[in-house]
Amino acid sequence: EAGVAQSPRYKIIEKRQSVAFWCNPISGHATLYWYQQILGQGPKLLIQFQNNGVVDDSQLPKDRFSAERLKGVDSTLKIQPAKLEDSAVYLCASSMDRGGNEQFFGPGTRLTVL
Amino acid sequence: AQSVTQLGSHVSVSEGALVLLRCNYSSSVPPYLFWYVQYPNQGLQLLLKYTSAATLVKGINGFEAEFKKSETSFHLTKPSAHMSDAAEYFCAVSDRGFGNEKLTFGTGTRLTIIP
């Protein structure tokens, strides 16, 4: 079974530029999560989708971050414009259903903002 | 609000020695508890989870954890450390049921194995 795919794996941009990350969850997984992991910290949930609807985006900085999940499968996370403090690893995860089921994580995208 | 506290950002043990990584949780409702491992440049992999069945949970790679409600703890142990156990370990909590699967992670513990 293929795992969660993310691209790109690494991205370096300058502040005020825009960037987008892509995630393809495990086939059949209805729930998709985007986490931000700053160096030295645990992952922090940015947004959670159930199929193509948003379940929780309370910690998403909506003035600069946006995310969508078209057709309830792939998802993109965008930052526009980027700030220095956005430097982090962005992790995508998916799970089969709600209610404490295991979340499967992708390898992450490491973003460096200069 | 639910949270977890991991005591010790860095732990070093000798190969073959006991591994003990500490996690304490705070939750207003009975929680689900998880331990994840992260190897360099990789995503997180689930080691084990507690979801209200047995309080002693066995996971992959010889790890286990015990849920102690009276101590609000969920410490991770392994009897004999192996070089391949070197990684970062994260404890996480989510509320039980009612559709809330949001994971709140601790700050992580980096485990170093001394040959």
Side-chain angles (χ1 to χ4, degrees), chain A:
Chain A
E1 178 182 85
V4 177
Q6 291 188 248
S7 68
R9 291 295 312 276
Y10 304 92
K11 188 74 177 179
I12 300 174
I13 62 173
E14 295 188 351
K15 60 183 180 183
R16 290 188 289 274
Q17 286 187 323
S18 301
V19 65
F21 313 127
W22 173 82
C23 173
N24 180 241
I26 293 173
S27 178
H29 281 194
T31 308
L32 184 147
Y33 313 78
W34 282 102
Y35 290 87
Q36 179 191 58
Q37 185 179 16
I38 293 173
L39 186 65
Q41 299 181 20
K44 181 186 78 172
L45 180 70
L46 292 176
I47 189 167
Q48 175 184 344
F49 291 95
Q50 179 77 9
N51 296 309
N52 59 354
V54 175
V55 174
D56 184 348
D57 63 357
S58 57
Q59 298 193 87
L60 186 74
K62 298 180 187 63
D63 58 333
R64 297 184 302 106
F65 285 65
S66 64
E68 61 181 6
R69 189 180 184 196
L70 299 176
K71 301 180 181 179
V73 182
D74 293 5
S75 177
T76 56
L77 176 69
K78 297 179 182 178
I79 307 175
Q80 180 180 9
K83 293 185 175 181
L84 296 177
E85 58 261 36
D86 298 332
S87 294
V89 176
Y90 291 85
L91 295 165
C92 179
S94 68
S95 64
M96 286 184 62
D97 202 348
R98 308 175 76 180
N101 275 331
E102 177 181 355
Q103 294 183 23
F104 294 82
F105 285 79
T109 296
R110 182 177 298 277
L111 173 67
T112 301
V113 182
L114 302 176

Side-chain angles (χ1 to χ4, degrees), chain B residues 79-99:
Chain B
S80 177
H82 191 272
M83 295 301 295
S84 61
D85 295 328
E88 186 132 25
Y89 293 79
F90 292 94
C91 182
V93 62
S94 73
D95 283 347
R96 180 187 300 280
F98 303 106

